[in-house]
Amino acid sequence: MARRLRATLFSLFLFLLVATEPALATSGGTIVFTTLGRSRYAFDIFALPLAPQRSSSSSPAAAAELRLTDGASVNYNGNFAPSSASLLFVSERNGSLNIYTSPVPSAASSGPGARREALELELEEAMAPAPLLPWDPIALKDRPSLTPDGAHLVYVSTADPAGSPRRSWAAVHATHLPSGVTRRLTPRGVADFSPAVSPSGEWTAAASPGARGWAGEVEDLATDIYVFKTSDGSRRALAIHDGGWPTWADDATLYFHRRDSDGWYGVYRAEISVADGDDAGVSVAASVERITPPGFHAFTPAASPGAPGLVAVATRRPGSDYRHIEVIDVSGDANAYFQVTKPVAPRAHHYNPFLSPDGARVGYHRCRGSGNGDAPLLLENIKSPAPDAFSLFRFDGSYPSFSHDGKRIAFVGLPGLFVVNSDGSGGRRRIFSGNAFPTAWDWKRKGVIYTSIGPDFASESTEVDVVAVSLGDDDDDDDPQHLHQEAHRERHEQRWVVFRSGRSGHKNLYIMDAEHGEAGGIRRLTEGPWSDTMCNWSPDGEWIAFASDRHNPGAGSFAIYMVHPNGTGLRRVVHSADAGRTNHPWFSPDSKTLVFTTDYAAVSAEPISNPHHYQPYGEIFTVNIDGSGIRRLTHNSFEDGTPSWTPYYLKPDDVGETLPASGTCEFEDCHWLNIDAQPDGLMCGRHR
Ligand SMILES: *[C@@H]1O[C@H](CO)[C@@H](O)[C@H](O)[C@H]1NC(C)=O
Ligand SMILES: *[C@@H]1O[C@H](CO)[C@@H](O)[C@H](O)[C@H]1NC(C)=O
């Protein structure tokens, strides 16, 4: 199927292709990228009655579970409004993560009854969510809560750049809803996550790394809890050392989570003294007490003055691969635990509980599951910060790249190299079944795709090949028999491929003849005891961009460099602080800008509150090739990566796929919460 450019090139990994002629159109085009797993799961927000948990150990019936969101897009991180009659939640339904509200159906109207169908219709209309915030600026808006008077919406926003690399942009904002006036409550230069408004509305607590910033940690985000005035962010004081995800039981009691030195996430209670005098601010917590014992993970607590003595938490217990919501009754001498979601949906992950102010319900989000499974979108439109310049799409697959007529996308699946029609009309087929890496289409030979094949994360001595796969000259021909055909061969043009090889013992870049492989000529482009990788040739032929750790070999930090194909002009284009990770550069159609993935903006939410993302700091950015004008394109707490940029302009609408709905909703939880996989069955990831 695939023609090997040479039988055994050692440890080739990345590569990319080229042409000696200037490329096609230079208009803005389209940027596509991958978000780890995101296309394959979709959350909705649900609620169960709190009462059964409180009064007895009887399990709530599945029928009592109420779906609070409408099954469109991904809906998560819910919270109730002070009246308990409406829901606040985060949704990506319009291409950026914004905050919406919708009414909460009453339990009665959702119960069984003769007029159920009519009621459901009415409910659906009534449930239509309304955005609470304007669309601009494009930013992650997360963790909504309202002040008791309903006037101020308090939330996290990533609208303001942090000002330096590897600092989170997450900051608490408050918007006065009647006037739309927004105020930043977090001081400039500092990040805040997971805000919670106190029952009186006067104070807001948030988790903050403070001045120490972010050191790349994911499993246990290093934060302390600060308390400040909700009105203007003043009186900011450190309330609790080492903690995250605060929640108020009353104006003097906070619950929070912390990963303790024994390795378990646990939930804690702190009594704090909050004074609003002339000089007095918030004093440090008077007492801190661990509520949940070691032996299982408990995190993301939720309390409410309407449910005194109760705390809802998410847990991972030995013997279960799933996160479940439990309610802890802390009012007695010994804490009592009540399972909330396990009896209803034992084999699903449930996230980030919240309690209604009237004490009636516990809410959470989970995958909407098989009954409501949607086919994943092939191309999901994401709001572009420069819509006139380029459209922006999430693609359901890794290393997506467009053919030059824009009609097809090559991508890497698990495992193999695939192509699919970019208009959603199907044509999905696997054209190579091995483990493949980045994809690049030949600029000249129609239907020829280059990739490299071999094991993941291979060492220098592992054999990896660069291969060229030809789709055949008939664009509509799906017959794999034709894969060997080489279409439109233009013999007069010299074509080269740049790739990475570990043949010298180090991963450096080489250039070889694209048609004849090494036999047609090969030369070394970079040389040194470090790794150069993920290379991309500019459409005008002048530059090769690549990622390298040459500034600190072997330390795991990568930056983006450029070099002329003749080996001159080497320079570093973008670097995300000393330990930073910046990778996967790809040139714009006019060769003047690079799109890439980076940890430049650190994490945007506490990683434990999300499904598993290896690198939740991965966001897509662009930069001018002279290193100026760095711009953030994606704002989320997911892992975004492997962008590519095509001159083909795709209009900013979602493109569905002609696949049956998967409905499986299978995705990984954070591997570091795994319990049973640990050798002694007890300790979790930290002590491996
Ligand atoms: C999406 O946002 C646009 C404004 O950018 C707005 O006009 C449109 O109504 C929104 N769509 C939905 C479904 O909310
Ligand atoms: C190397 O290539 C660059 C870009 O094409 C060109 O400007 C430069 O003159 C070349 N240098 C040498 C020594 O050939």
Side-chain angles (χ1 to χ4, degrees):
M1 243 191 222
R3 193 169 67 93
R4 298 201 171 199
L5 293 180
R6 191 190 181 267
T8 46
L9 292 172
F10 285 96
S11 180
L12 298 186
F13 187 65
L14 274 313
F15 74 121
L16 243 152
L17 134 102
V18 199
T20 48
E21 278 200 0
L24 323 116
T26 54
S27 59
T30 302
I31 293 172
V32 287
F33 64 95
T34 302
T35 303
L36 181 78
R38 230 317 267 122
S39 307
R40 299 282 160 164
Y41 65 82
F43 293 129
D44 264 318
I45 295 171
F46 296 79
L48 278 162
L50 191 54
Q53 278 78 34
R54 174 182 246 164
S55 58
S56 77
S57 59
S58 72
S59 306
E65 193 187 53
L66 209 56
R67 194 179 76 182
L68 303 183
T69 46
D70 61 358
S73 183
V74 56
N75 306 306
Y76 67 94
N77 284 355
N79 202 354
F80 289 105
S83 67
S84 302
S86 46
L87 177 75
L88 314 170
F89 64 101
V90 180
S91 179
E92 208 181 19
R93 61 191 56 226
N94 208 356
S96 96
L97 286 160
N98 205 359
I99 293 169
Y100 289 77
T101 186
S102 61
V104 174
S106 73
S109 63
S110 66
R115 294 172 55 236
R116 173 118 201 227
E117 263 177 45
L119 268 173
E120 274 181 356
L121 281 178
E122 272 172 42
L123 268 180
E124 260 164 43
E125 275 163 36
M127 278 167 67
L132 272 174
L133 292 169
W135 287 96
D136 288 318
I138 294 172
L140 164 72
K141 318 265 173 64
D142 197 9
R143 296 302 311 282
S145 45
L146 278 174
T147 51
D149 60 4
H152 286 90
L153 178 69
V154 177
Y155 56 97
V156 167
S157 168
T158 55
D160 305 324
S164 40
R166 276 197 132 207
R167 288 280 177 151
S168 176
W169 296 21
V172 178
H173 287 61
T175 297
H176 181 244
L177 292 175
S179 66
V181 172
T182 295
R183 169 164 215 159
R184 178 178 167 124
L185 304 184
T186 304
R188 296 269 167 186
V190 173
D192 273 337
F193 306 97
S194 317
V197 175
S198 72
S200 72
E202 214 165 339
W203 302 97
T204 293
S208 176
R212 70 179 168 247
W214 183 65
E217 75 275 10
V218 167
E219 302 185 10
D220 183 9
L221 191 67
T223 56
D224 301 317
I225 293 173
Y226 288 78
V227 175
F228 47 84
K229 293 277 280 186
T230 306
S231 54
D232 59 4
S234 64
R235 310 265 166 103
R236 183 180 174 96
L238 173 63
I240 299 157
H241 178 72
D242 186 12
W245 205 269
T247 179
W248 301 83
D250 56 56
D251 267 56
T253 310
L254 278 173
Y255 289 86
F256 63 97
H257 65 207
R258 169 190 290 171
R259 190 164 188 186
D260 214 315
S261 53
D262 58 24
W264 299 103
Y265 263 98
V267 169
Y268 291 72
R269 176 174 47 217
E271 303 301 332
I272 60 167
S273 107
V274 187
D276 189 17
D278 279 345
D279 321 304
V282 184
S283 82
V284 176
S287 72
V288 172
E289 183 192 358
R290 186 169 177 167
I291 300 300
T292 58
F296 65 99
H297 294 294
F299 44 89
T300 58
S304 161
L310 298 182
V311 187
V313 299
T315 61
R316 273 290 303 280
R317 286 183 179 269
S320 174
D321 289 334
Y322 296 94
R323 295 187 189 192
H324 281 294
I325 308 305
E326 300 182 28
V327 168
I328 312 172
D329 185 341
V330 293
S331 61
D333 288 341
N335 295 335
Y337 290 78
F338 301 99
Q339 294 288 343
V340 176
T341 55
K342 200 173 178 189
V344 177
R347 299 181 60 76
H349 287 295
H350 299 76
Y351 292 86
N352 307 354
F354 54 103
L355 296 176
S356 63
D358 64 7
R361 292 197 173 99
V362 50
Y364 48 86
H365 61 268
R366 67 164 169 84
C367 226
R368 46 185 167 257
S370 48
N372 302 296
D374 308 319
L377 288 172
L378 181 70
L379 288 157
E380 182 177 1
N381 182 237
I382 299 297
K383 265 199 189 324
S384 167
D388 298 333
F390 53 83
S391 57
L392 181 61
F393 288 87
R394 172 181 295 144
F395 178 78
D396 180 28
S398 296
Y399 297 108
S401 68
F402 276 79
S403 64
H404 298 299
D405 61 5
K407 286 185 181 165
R408 291 184 178 188
I409 300 170
F411 67 98
V412 169
L414 288 171
L417 176 63
F418 294 76
V419 288
V420 64
N421 298 340
S422 61
D423 62 0
S425 63
R428 181 185 280 258
R429 60 189 165 118
R430 186 155 77 174
I431 55 173
F432 188 81
S433 59
N435 212 359
F437 297 111
T439 58
W441 296 76
D442 194 309
W443 290 91
K444 291 285 177 188
R445 293 183 295 164
K446 198 177 169 196
V448 174
I449 303 166
Y450 296 87
T451 189
S452 52
I453 58 172
D456 282 307
F457 304 112
S459 72
E460 282 84 356
S461 59
T462 313
E463 221 173 89
V464 183
D465 280 355
V466 169
V467 299
V469 182
S470 174
L471 295 178
D473 56 357
D474 179 355
D475 238 2
D476 300 321
D477 190 349
D478 272 359
D479 183 351
Q481 298 285 27
H482 292 229
L483 291 182
H484 295 283
Q485 291 185 5
E486 302 250 342
H488 303 273
R489 199 178 271 199
E490 292 160 84
R491 292 188 176 281
H492 309 298
E493 312 254 343
Q494 181 84 345
R495 285 175 290 269
W496 302 99
V497 175
V498 57
F499 62 94
R500 187 191 89 185
S501 172
R503 57 178 63 206
S504 69
H506 304 297
K507 294 172 175 177
N508 292 147
L509 303 181
Y510 295 77
I511 292 177
M512 71 175 167
D513 187 283
E515 267 192 87
H516 306 106
E518 282 190 53
I522 181 161
R523 92 191 134 79
R524 186 170 188 148
L525 180 62
T526 64
E527 183 164 4
W530 50 67
S531 288
D532 300 319
T533 186
M534 296 289 167
C535 34
N536 183 256
W537 208 312
S538 64
D540 66 7
E542 289 286 297
W543 290 104
I544 289 163
F546 59 99
S548 176
D549 67 351
R550 54 179 63 213
H551 48 276
N552 193 1
S557 168
F558 281 79
I560 289 173
Y561 294 78
M562 291 197 335
V563 65
H564 285 306
N566 62 14
T568 67
L570 177 85
R571 66 169 193 247
R572 189 161 78 188
V573 188
V574 58
H575 177 52
S576 167
D578 283 346
R581 294 169 171 213
T582 298
N583 212 327
H584 300 124
W586 194 291
F587 281 96
S588 61
D590 66 4
S591 303
K592 291 182 177 151
T593 308
L594 286 166
V595 64
F596 56 97
T597 182
T598 181
D599 66 357
Y600 196 89
V603 292
S604 298
E606 290 190 50
I608 190 172
S609 64
N610 275 332
H612 176 53
H613 292 275
Y614 291 94
Q615 304 180 104
Y617 43 78
E619 299 284 350
I620 309 300
F621 277 67
T622 55
V623 68
N624 299 326
I625 58 170
D626 65 4
S628 69
I630 190 161
R631 169 143 75 177
R632 183 172 181 174
L633 304 192
T634 58
H635 292 258
N636 60 54
S637 55
F638 318 139
E639 175 180 344
D640 298 324
T642 65
S644 72
W645 198 330
T646 167
Y648 177 73
Y649 181 77
L650 202 60
K651 113 175 139 32
D653 290 323
D654 290 343
V655 179
E657 208 172 353
T658 53
L659 281 180
S662 69
T664 56
C665 239
E666 273 170 11
F667 55 93
E668 275 185 273
D669 192 18
C670 298
H671 59 86
W672 71 86
L673 291 176
N674 290 348
I675 297 165
D676 298 334
Q678 302 310 314
D680 60 5
L682 274 178
M683 299 310 282
C684 42
R686 179 185 278 188
H687 296 285
R688 266 181 301 184

Short mmCIF file of all heavy atoms in Angstrom, two decimals, residues 229-269:
data_model
loop_
_atom_site.label_atom_id
_atom_site.label_comp_id
_atom_site.label_asym_id
_atom_site.label_seq_id
_atom_site.Cartn_x
_atom_site.Cartn_y
_atom_site.Cartn_z
N LYS A 229 -13.25 40.33 48.78
CA LYS A 229 -14.59 40.91 48.67
C LYS A 229 -15.14 40.68 47.26
O LYS A 229 -14.47 40.93 46.26
CB LYS A 229 -14.52 42.43 48.91
CG LYS A 229 -14.14 42.80 50.32
CD LYS A 229 -15.32 42.78 51.26
CE LYS A 229 -16.14 44.05 51.11
NZ LYS A 229 -17.22 44.10 52.12
N THR A 230 -16.39 40.22 47.21
CA THR A 230 -17.00 39.95 45.91
C THR A 230 -17.24 41.26 45.14
O THR A 230 -17.24 41.29 43.91
CB THR A 230 -18.36 39.23 46.11
OG1 THR A 230 -18.15 38.08 46.91
CG2 THR A 230 -18.98 38.82 44.80
N SER A 231 -17.40 42.35 45.88
CA SER A 231 -17.74 43.61 45.20
C SER A 231 -16.58 44.14 44.36
O SER A 231 -16.80 44.65 43.27
CB SER A 231 -18.15 44.66 46.23
OG SER A 231 -17.14 44.77 47.22
N ASP A 232 -15.36 44.00 44.85
CA ASP A 232 -14.25 44.60 44.11
C ASP A 232 -12.91 43.86 44.23
O ASP A 232 -11.89 44.36 43.77
CB ASP A 232 -14.07 46.05 44.54
CG ASP A 232 -13.77 46.17 46.04
OD1 ASP A 232 -13.63 45.11 46.71
OD2 ASP A 232 -13.69 47.30 46.54
N GLY A 233 -12.91 42.70 44.86
CA GLY A 233 -11.65 41.95 44.98
C GLY A 233 -10.74 42.44 46.10
O GLY A 233 -9.64 41.91 46.28
N SER A 234 -11.19 43.43 46.84
CA SER A 234 -10.33 43.98 47.90
C SER A 234 -10.28 43.04 49.10
O SER A 234 -11.01 42.05 49.16
CB SER A 234 -10.83 45.36 48.33
OG SER A 234 -12.12 45.23 48.92
N ARG A 235 -9.44 43.39 50.06
CA ARG A 235 -9.25 42.60 51.29
C ARG A 235 -8.81 41.17 50.98
O ARG A 235 -9.15 40.25 51.71
CB ARG A 235 -10.55 42.52 52.10
CG ARG A 235 -11.19 43.83 52.36
CD ARG A 235 -10.76 44.35 53.71
NE ARG A 235 -11.11 45.75 53.79
CZ ARG A 235 -12.13 46.22 54.47
NH1 ARG A 235 -12.88 45.39 55.14
NH2 ARG A 235 -12.37 47.49 54.49
N ARG A 236 -8.12 41.03 49.91
CA ARG A 236 -7.68 39.68 49.53
C ARG A 236 -6.71 39.15 50.58
O ARG A 236 -5.73 39.80 50.93
CB ARG A 236 -6.99 39.75 48.17
CG ARG A 236 -6.56 38.41 47.62
CD ARG A 236 -5.89 38.61 46.26
NE ARG A 236 -5.34 37.36 45.76
CZ ARG A 236 -5.97 36.56 44.90
NH1 ARG A 236 -7.17 36.87 44.45
NH2 ARG A 236 -5.40 35.45 44.49
N ALA A 237 -6.99 37.96 51.10
CA ALA A 237 -6.14 37.39 52.14
C ALA A 237 -6.02 35.88 51.95
O ALA A 237 -6.95 35.21 51.50
CB ALA A 237 -6.72 37.67 53.52
N LEU A 238 -4.84 35.38 52.29
CA LEU A 238 -4.62 33.94 52.25
C LEU A 238 -5.38 33.31 53.41
O LEU A 238 -5.13 33.61 54.57
CB LEU A 238 -3.12 33.65 52.40
CG LEU A 238 -2.71 32.19 52.54
CD1 LEU A 238 -3.08 31.38 51.30
CD2 LEU A 238 -1.22 32.06 52.82
N ALA A 239 -6.35 32.46 53.10
CA ALA A 239 -7.16 31.85 54.15
C ALA A 239 -6.67 30.45 54.51
O ALA A 239 -6.63 30.08 55.67
CB ALA A 239 -8.62 31.80 53.73
N ILE A 240 -6.31 29.66 53.49
CA ILE A 240 -5.92 28.27 53.74
C ILE A 240 -4.72 27.94 52.87
O ILE A 240 -4.76 28.12 51.66
CB ILE A 240 -7.07 27.30 53.41
CG1 ILE A 240 -8.29 27.60 54.28
CG2 ILE A 240 -6.63 25.85 53.59
CD1 ILE A 240 -9.59 27.12 53.69
N HIS A 241 -3.69 27.44 53.53
CA HIS A 241 -2.52 27.01 52.78
C HIS A 241 -2.77 25.61 52.21
O HIS A 241 -3.25 24.74 52.92
CB HIS A 241 -1.30 27.01 53.71
CG HIS A 241 -0.07 26.53 53.02
ND1 HIS A 241 0.59 27.30 52.07
CD2 HIS A 241 0.60 25.38 53.11
CE1 HIS A 241 1.62 26.63 51.62
NE2 HIS A 241 1.66 25.46 52.23
N ASP A 242 -2.45 25.42 50.95
CA ASP A 242 -2.58 24.12 50.28
C ASP A 242 -4.03 23.63 50.21
O ASP A 242 -4.47 22.83 51.04
CB ASP A 242 -1.69 23.07 50.97
CG ASP A 242 -1.69 21.74 50.20
OD1 ASP A 242 -2.16 21.72 49.04
OD2 ASP A 242 -1.21 20.74 50.77
N GLY A 243 -4.72 24.06 49.22
CA GLY A 243 -6.09 23.60 49.04
C GLY A 243 -6.66 24.12 47.73
O GLY A 243 -6.13 25.06 47.14
N GLY A 244 -7.73 23.48 47.27
CA GLY A 244 -8.40 23.91 46.05
C GLY A 244 -9.90 23.70 46.17
O GLY A 244 -10.39 23.11 47.14
N TRP A 245 -10.63 24.19 45.17
CA TRP A 245 -12.06 23.96 45.01
C TRP A 245 -12.85 24.29 46.29
O TRP A 245 -13.57 23.44 46.85
CB TRP A 245 -12.30 22.50 44.63
CG TRP A 245 -13.57 22.26 43.88
CD1 TRP A 245 -14.79 21.95 44.43
CD2 TRP A 245 -13.77 22.29 42.47
NE1 TRP A 245 -15.73 21.80 43.44
CE2 TRP A 245 -15.13 21.98 42.23
CE3 TRP A 245 -12.95 22.55 41.36
CZ2 TRP A 245 -15.68 21.94 40.94
CZ3 TRP A 245 -13.49 22.50 40.09
CH2 TRP A 245 -14.83 22.18 39.89
N PRO A 246 -12.75 25.54 46.78
CA PRO A 246 -13.48 25.90 48.01
C PRO A 246 -14.99 25.93 47.80
O PRO A 246 -15.46 26.18 46.68
CB PRO A 246 -12.97 27.30 48.32
CG PRO A 246 -12.56 27.86 46.99
CD PRO A 246 -12.02 26.68 46.22
N THR A 247 -15.73 25.67 48.85
CA THR A 247 -17.19 25.79 48.83
C THR A 247 -17.63 26.20 50.23
O THR A 247 -17.01 25.81 51.22
CB THR A 247 -17.86 24.45 48.40
OG1 THR A 247 -19.28 24.60 48.40
CG2 THR A 247 -17.50 23.31 49.33
N TRP A 248 -18.66 27.04 50.33
CA TRP A 248 -19.08 27.60 51.61
C TRP A 248 -20.28 26.84 52.18
O TRP A 248 -21.27 26.64 51.48
CB TRP A 248 -19.52 29.06 51.45
CG TRP A 248 -18.48 29.98 50.89
CD1 TRP A 248 -18.19 30.17 49.57
CD2 TRP A 248 -17.65 30.88 51.62
NE1 TRP A 248 -17.21 31.13 49.43
CE2 TRP A 248 -16.87 31.58 50.68
CE3 TRP A 248 -17.48 31.16 52.99
CZ2 TRP A 248 -15.93 32.55 51.06
CZ3 TRP A 248 -16.55 32.13 53.35
CH2 TRP A 248 -15.78 32.81 52.40
N ALA A 249 -20.20 26.47 53.46
CA ALA A 249 -21.38 25.96 54.14
C ALA A 249 -22.12 27.13 54.78
O ALA A 249 -23.35 27.17 54.83
CB ALA A 249 -21.00 24.93 55.18
N ASP A 250 -21.34 28.07 55.33
CA ASP A 250 -21.87 29.35 55.80
C ASP A 250 -20.73 30.34 55.70
O ASP A 250 -19.63 29.98 55.28
CB ASP A 250 -22.42 29.22 57.24
CG ASP A 250 -21.38 28.68 58.19
OD1 ASP A 250 -20.29 29.28 58.29
OD2 ASP A 250 -21.64 27.62 58.83
N ASP A 251 -20.96 31.58 56.10
CA ASP A 251 -19.93 32.59 55.85
C ASP A 251 -18.64 32.40 56.65
O ASP A 251 -17.67 33.12 56.43
CB ASP A 251 -20.49 34.01 56.06
CG ASP A 251 -21.00 34.59 54.74
OD1 ASP A 251 -21.87 33.94 54.11
OD2 ASP A 251 -20.52 35.66 54.32
N ALA A 252 -18.63 31.41 57.55
CA ALA A 252 -17.42 31.17 58.33
C ALA A 252 -16.87 29.76 58.13
O ALA A 252 -15.88 29.38 58.75
CB ALA A 252 -17.70 31.41 59.81
N THR A 253 -17.51 28.97 57.28
CA THR A 253 -17.07 27.59 57.10
C THR A 253 -16.85 27.26 55.62
O THR A 253 -17.77 27.41 54.80
CB THR A 253 -18.13 26.60 57.65
OG1 THR A 253 -18.49 27.01 58.97
CG2 THR A 253 -17.61 25.18 57.67
N LEU A 254 -15.64 26.85 55.34
CA LEU A 254 -15.30 26.45 53.97
C LEU A 254 -14.93 24.98 53.94
O LEU A 254 -14.25 24.49 54.84
CB LEU A 254 -14.06 27.24 53.49
CG LEU A 254 -14.24 28.64 52.95
CD1 LEU A 254 -12.86 29.25 52.69
CD2 LEU A 254 -15.04 28.62 51.64
N TYR A 255 -15.39 24.29 52.92
CA TYR A 255 -14.86 22.95 52.61
C TYR A 255 -13.98 23.10 51.38
O TYR A 255 -14.20 23.99 50.54
CB TYR A 255 -15.99 21.96 52.33
CG TYR A 255 -16.78 21.60 53.57
CD1 TYR A 255 -17.85 22.39 54.00
CD2 TYR A 255 -16.46 20.47 54.31
CE1 TYR A 255 -18.57 22.06 55.13
CE2 TYR A 255 -17.18 20.13 55.45
CZ TYR A 255 -18.23 20.93 55.86
OH TYR A 255 -18.93 20.59 56.98
N PHE A 256 -13.00 22.25 51.25
CA PHE A 256 -12.10 22.30 50.09
C PHE A 256 -11.44 20.94 49.92
O PHE A 256 -11.60 20.06 50.77
CB PHE A 256 -11.05 23.40 50.28
CG PHE A 256 -10.13 23.20 51.45
CD1 PHE A 256 -8.88 22.62 51.28
CD2 PHE A 256 -10.52 23.56 52.74
CE1 PHE A 256 -8.03 22.42 52.37
CE2 PHE A 256 -9.67 23.36 53.83
CZ PHE A 256 -8.43 22.78 53.65
N HIS A 257 -10.71 20.75 48.82
CA HIS A 257 -9.95 19.50 48.68
C HIS A 257 -8.45 19.78 48.68
O HIS A 257 -8.00 20.88 48.42
CB HIS A 257 -10.41 18.66 47.47
CG HIS A 257 -10.16 19.29 46.12
ND1 HIS A 257 -10.92 19.00 45.02
CD2 HIS A 257 -9.23 20.18 45.69
CE1 HIS A 257 -10.48 19.68 43.97
NE2 HIS A 257 -9.46 20.40 44.35
N ARG A 258 -7.74 18.72 48.97
CA ARG A 258 -6.28 18.81 49.04
C ARG A 258 -5.76 17.41 48.77
O ARG A 258 -6.35 16.43 49.22
CB ARG A 258 -5.89 19.26 50.44
CG ARG A 258 -4.41 19.14 50.75
CD ARG A 258 -4.14 19.37 52.23
NE ARG A 258 -4.36 20.76 52.63
CZ ARG A 258 -4.36 21.17 53.89
NH1 ARG A 258 -4.17 20.31 54.87
NH2 ARG A 258 -4.54 22.45 54.19
N ARG A 259 -4.68 17.32 48.05
CA ARG A 259 -4.04 16.00 47.93
C ARG A 259 -3.02 15.90 49.05
O ARG A 259 -2.05 16.65 49.10
CB ARG A 259 -3.36 15.83 46.59
CG ARG A 259 -2.94 14.39 46.40
CD ARG A 259 -2.62 14.09 44.97
NE ARG A 259 -2.40 12.67 44.79
CZ ARG A 259 -1.99 12.15 43.65
NH1 ARG A 259 -1.78 12.91 42.61
NH2 ARG A 259 -1.81 10.86 43.54
N ASP A 260 -3.29 15.00 49.95
CA ASP A 260 -2.48 14.93 51.16
C ASP A 260 -1.18 14.19 50.90
O ASP A 260 -1.00 13.55 49.88
CB ASP A 260 -3.27 14.24 52.28
CG ASP A 260 -2.90 14.85 53.63
OD1 ASP A 260 -1.70 15.05 53.88
OD2 ASP A 260 -3.82 15.12 54.42
N SER A 261 -0.27 14.25 51.88
CA SER A 261 1.03 13.61 51.69
C SER A 261 0.90 12.09 51.62
O SER A 261 1.81 11.41 51.17
CB SER A 261 1.98 14.01 52.82
OG SER A 261 1.34 13.75 54.05
N ASP A 262 -0.24 11.55 52.06
CA ASP A 262 -0.44 10.10 51.92
C ASP A 262 -0.87 9.72 50.50
O ASP A 262 -1.10 8.56 50.19
CB ASP A 262 -1.45 9.57 52.95
CG ASP A 262 -2.81 10.26 52.84
OD1 ASP A 262 -3.14 10.78 51.76
OD2 ASP A 262 -3.54 10.29 53.85
N GLY A 263 -1.02 10.70 49.62
CA GLY A 263 -1.33 10.42 48.22
C GLY A 263 -2.80 10.50 47.87
O GLY A 263 -3.16 10.55 46.70
N TRP A 264 -3.66 10.52 48.86
CA TRP A 264 -5.10 10.54 48.59
C TRP A 264 -5.62 11.98 48.53
O TRP A 264 -5.24 12.81 49.33
CB TRP A 264 -5.87 9.81 49.69
CG TRP A 264 -5.50 8.37 49.81
CD1 TRP A 264 -4.70 7.82 50.76
CD2 TRP A 264 -5.91 7.30 48.96
NE1 TRP A 264 -4.58 6.47 50.55
CE2 TRP A 264 -5.31 6.13 49.45
CE3 TRP A 264 -6.72 7.23 47.81
CZ2 TRP A 264 -5.50 4.89 48.84
CZ3 TRP A 264 -6.90 6.00 47.21
CH2 TRP A 264 -6.30 4.84 47.73
N TYR A 265 -6.53 12.18 47.59
CA TYR A 265 -7.30 13.43 47.63
C TYR A 265 -8.31 13.32 48.75
O TYR A 265 -9.03 12.31 48.86
CB TYR A 265 -8.04 13.65 46.31
CG TYR A 265 -7.30 14.56 45.37
CD1 TYR A 265 -6.52 14.04 44.34
CD2 TYR A 265 -7.38 15.94 45.51
CE1 TYR A 265 -5.84 14.87 43.47
CE2 TYR A 265 -6.69 16.78 44.64
CZ TYR A 265 -5.93 16.24 43.62
OH TYR A 265 -5.26 17.08 42.77
N GLY A 266 -8.38 14.32 49.61
CA GLY A 266 -9.34 14.30 50.69
C GLY A 266 -10.07 15.63 50.78
O GLY A 266 -9.61 16.65 50.25
N VAL A 267 -11.21 15.61 51.46
CA VAL A 267 -11.99 16.82 51.65
C VAL A 267 -11.78 17.31 53.08
O VAL A 267 -11.74 16.51 54.03
CB VAL A 267 -13.48 16.57 51.34
CG1 VAL A 267 -14.36 17.73 51.80
CG2 VAL A 267 -13.64 16.36 49.83
N TYR A 268 -11.63 18.61 53.23
CA TYR A 268 -11.29 19.25 54.50
C TYR A 268 -12.31 20.32 54.83
O TYR A 268 -12.94 20.88 53.93
CB TYR A 268 -9.90 19.90 54.41
CG TYR A 268 -8.77 18.92 54.30
CD1 TYR A 268 -8.57 18.20 53.12
CD2 TYR A 268 -7.92 18.69 55.37
CE1 TYR A 268 -7.54 17.28 53.02
CE2 TYR A 268 -6.89 17.77 55.28
CZ TYR A 268 -6.70 17.07 54.10
OH TYR A 268 -5.68 16.16 54.01
N ARG A 269 -12.41 20.61 56.12
CA ARG A 269 -13.25 21.72 56.56
C ARG A 269 -12.38 22.74 57.26
O ARG A 269 -11.49 22.39 58.03
CB ARG A 269 -14.32 21.23 57.52
CG ARG A 269 -15.19 22.39 58.09
CD ARG A 269 -16.35 21.90 58.93
NE ARG A 269 -15.92 20.90 59.88
CZ ARG A 269 -16.64 19.82 60.21
NH1 ARG A 269 -17.85 19.63 59.71
NH2 ARG A 269 -16.17 18.95 61.08
#
